[in-house]
Amino acid sequence: MAESASPPSSSVHIDLTRDEKEIFDLLLKVINHCNLATHLRVAGGWVRDKLLGLQSYDIDIAVDNMTRQQFGEKIEACLTSPGKITVIKSKPDQSKHLETARMRMQLTSGSNVLIDFVNLRSEHYNNSRIPTTMKFGTALEDAYRRDLTMNSLFYNIQTNSIEDFTKRGIEDLKSKKFVTPLNPKETFMDDPLRVLRAIRFGARLGFTLDEELKNAAIDEDVSTAFWNKISRERIGHEIDLMISGEQAKDPCIFGGSDLQKCTTFGGFDTQPSVSERQCIAYLDSALRLSNLIGFSDDQKRLCLYAALLLPFRDTIYIYRRKNNKAKEIQIPVVNYIVGDSLKLKTSDAQTIISLHNAANKFVTIIPSLEVVEVGLLLREIKEFWRVALLLSMLLMHSDENIDKRSRLFKRIKGGSIVKEWQQRVIVWQLEHHPSGTVKECLDWMKRKFNENEQEPSSSHFSTRS
């Protein structure tokens, strides 16, 4: 297809690394050696990240007048660098709607990089977020089919320049604003998953969402298309990426009625009276506190899920299966949201429910400083005890005994109390095996704790108490 005339090149410049220059020089060598009338552009995220000063290894090369597979064959025909260049052929059975071609290149720096080839194209959508028809397109058409203006920028390898076909990609990038190339409702109706992607990238980069984009995101038609076109697995994957990121909050994630829709996917008879603002408030507090405490990645991820769903912790939903309307099923709403609506791991739902139960127990234990009860609870929740303790703090709205709670949190967080009482319990079990009961052990622990008038310390600890 003929190249569009007078592409709008930008005066903004990109500084290439030595590796990037080596890659682009090789591709230009193919163009010149084979005498091709092909224009090569780096598309999308690489351009955006380079302009933001971020390191990027995701290089997609857009080819304009042949298929990516054909260009891969040109590389193989024109270059003979055994062990340094490998073209990975298309695998139709693994590519549901796009032909793929990749090049693996060993650079002189010792790095190994994968280069993806894509085609400039135009698309048409129908009842799926997967395009129903695709055809070769111009760079202009390709730019306008993209989700955001900042992702529509191209870096032209031949001219060493940035091309801004929407004439606002650079401007929106500088103003840190997310804007769609076309009408945002049209963009989201084609692929409603772009709503979640815009929120996720906005949170990660610290950008704001254009007002028109926000209004389109909560539009009723877009909301309907969102639930009809996108699989729950894909929704769960995107939300998981949000929750796992550094900026894991934004009211738009479950804006409007989406949280209730998430819980009612499949036809519940009742809906909880929970405000999404309450869920987001818990999520926001948990995010700030977890950053201070220093959880592992998995602990932080599950902590944020547990905080988001904290208002649902005691909610049981009753629903009827479509194939058996007479039979009512009772299930914790957390199980349904995590397992059925978001299609996350079953173990995630179980852990979140355990965290909610432990948080409820912490709320009753902490004000009275029942350290023995705390110790037993910590053994039950194991490595997630700090997460449960954080959630319990979110449930305590009153300022009463806040100093006590703060001191206890610090003492418990150190772990020495729990370890010491665990040793005492083991000794007691050995001395009273096999007749000793759990109640007898608990009574003994409470009695010994009260005798000491404060939690035991290693300086006066006796294994024969």
Side-chain angles (χ1 to χ4, degrees), residues 374-376 378-379 385 411-412 415-423:
V374 171
L376 293 175
L378 299 192
R379 292 194 69 190
W385 66 267
R411 295 208 309 274
I412 295 175
S416 59
I417 298 175
V418 180
K419 292 178 182 178
E420 208 158 328
W421 276 104
Q422 284 176 335
Q423 293 178 43

Side-chain angles (χ1 to χ4, degrees), residues 25-38 40 65-66 70-80 158:
D25 285 347
L26 180 139
L27 295 175
L28 290 176
K29 184 178 179 181
V30 173
I31 296 292
N32 296 329
H33 182 80
C34 297
N35 196 26
L36 301 177
T38 303
L40 297 180
N65 66 345
M66 64 180 71
Q70 289 170 338
F71 187 74
E73 292 170 357
K74 295 292 183 182
I75 294 176
E76 289 185 316
C78 295
L79 297 177
T80 54
Q158 275 106 324

Side-chain angles (χ1 to χ4, degrees), residues 365 368-375 408 411-412 417-418 420-421 424 441-457 460 465:
I365 293 172
S368 60
L369 296 178
E370 288 284 350
V371 177
V372 174
E373 297 285 356
V374 171
L408 180 61
R411 295 208 309 274
I412 295 175
I417 298 175
V418 180
E420 208 158 328
W421 276 104
R424 287 194 171 202
C441 182
L442 181 59
D443 290 341
W444 171 81
M445 291 176 69
K446 289 182 176 180
R447 186 171 65 253
K448 298 303 296 182
F449 178 76
N450 291 332
E451 288 175 2
N452 290 336
E453 295 183 345
Q454 60 180 8
E455 70 275 9
S457 64
H460 64 267
S465 296

Side-chain angles (χ1 to χ4, degrees), residues 128-343:
S128 170
R129 60 174 292 264
I130 305 301
T132 53
T133 60
M134 289 185 297
K135 61 181 182 179
F136 283 145
T138 65
L140 178 67
E141 290 173 322
D142 193 273
Y144 273 96
R145 75 170 178 82
R146 302 209 170 234
D147 54 354
L148 299 167
T149 55
M150 68 178 63
N151 291 334
S152 68
L153 298 169
F154 293 103
Y155 174 77
N156 191 310
I157 295 177
Q158 275 106 324
T159 63
N160 189 30
S161 63
I162 297 173
E163 298 172 343
D164 186 0
F165 286 92
T166 67
K167 298 183 180 180
R168 62 173 304 169
I170 298 291
E171 175 189 341
D172 293 332
L173 195 62
K174 287 181 178 178
S175 61
K176 296 187 175 182
K177 183 179 291 186
F178 275 1
V179 181
T180 55
L182 298 174
N183 178 281
K185 182 174 178 179
E186 178 184 345
T187 298
F188 292 155
M189 289 295 291
D190 284 343
D191 183 1
L193 190 66
R194 289 168 173 169
V195 174
L196 291 184
R197 286 174 53 81
I199 295 167
R200 176 162 63 87
F201 278 104
R204 179 171 73 87
L205 297 173
F207 283 29
T208 59
L209 304 181
D210 179 70
E211 285 301 318
E212 193 176 356
L213 186 150
K214 285 183 181 179
N215 292 333
I218 60 175
D219 182 89
E220 186 175 345
D221 293 337
V222 173
S223 182
T224 299
F226 182 90
W227 295 107
N228 289 339
K229 282 189 172 185
I230 307 176
S231 69
R232 284 174 283 177
E233 290 86 351
R234 199 68 184 89
I235 295 171
H237 176 70
E238 283 294 326
I239 292 178
D240 213 37
L241 291 174
M242 294 181 195
I243 289 288
S244 302
E246 287 298 317
Q247 302 291 330
K249 65 176 181 66
D250 192 300
C252 292
I253 293 177
F254 292 112
S257 60
D258 282 350
L259 184 58
Q260 287 190 344
K261 286 186 179 181
C262 187
T263 65
T264 58
F265 212 120
F268 281 122
D269 291 322
T270 60
Q271 293 189 17
S273 56
V274 173
S275 166
E276 69 273 5
R277 292 183 180 274
Q278 188 179 7
C279 297
I280 296 301
Y282 280 135
L283 176 63
D284 182 49
S285 298
L287 179 66
R288 289 185 282 110
L289 288 173
S290 63
N291 286 335
L292 295 174
I293 295 172
F295 292 144
S296 68
D297 290 343
D298 194 46
Q299 286 174 337
K300 182 176 180 180
R301 170 179 166 272
L302 289 170
C303 173
L304 297 181
Y305 271 121
L308 178 69
L309 300 175
L310 199 55
F312 292 100
R313 65 192 180 281
D314 299 319
T315 305
I316 299 293
Y317 267 15
I318 300 174
Y319 72 102
R320 296 185 181 93
R321 295 193 182 278
K322 292 181 179 179
N323 58 354
N324 190 355
K325 294 185 177 181
K327 185 177 180 181
E328 291 187 343
I329 306 294
Q330 295 189 17
I331 185 173
V333 67
V334 170
N335 262 342
Y336 197 83
I337 294 174
V338 175
D340 289 66
S341 290
L342 299 181
K343 294 296 183 181

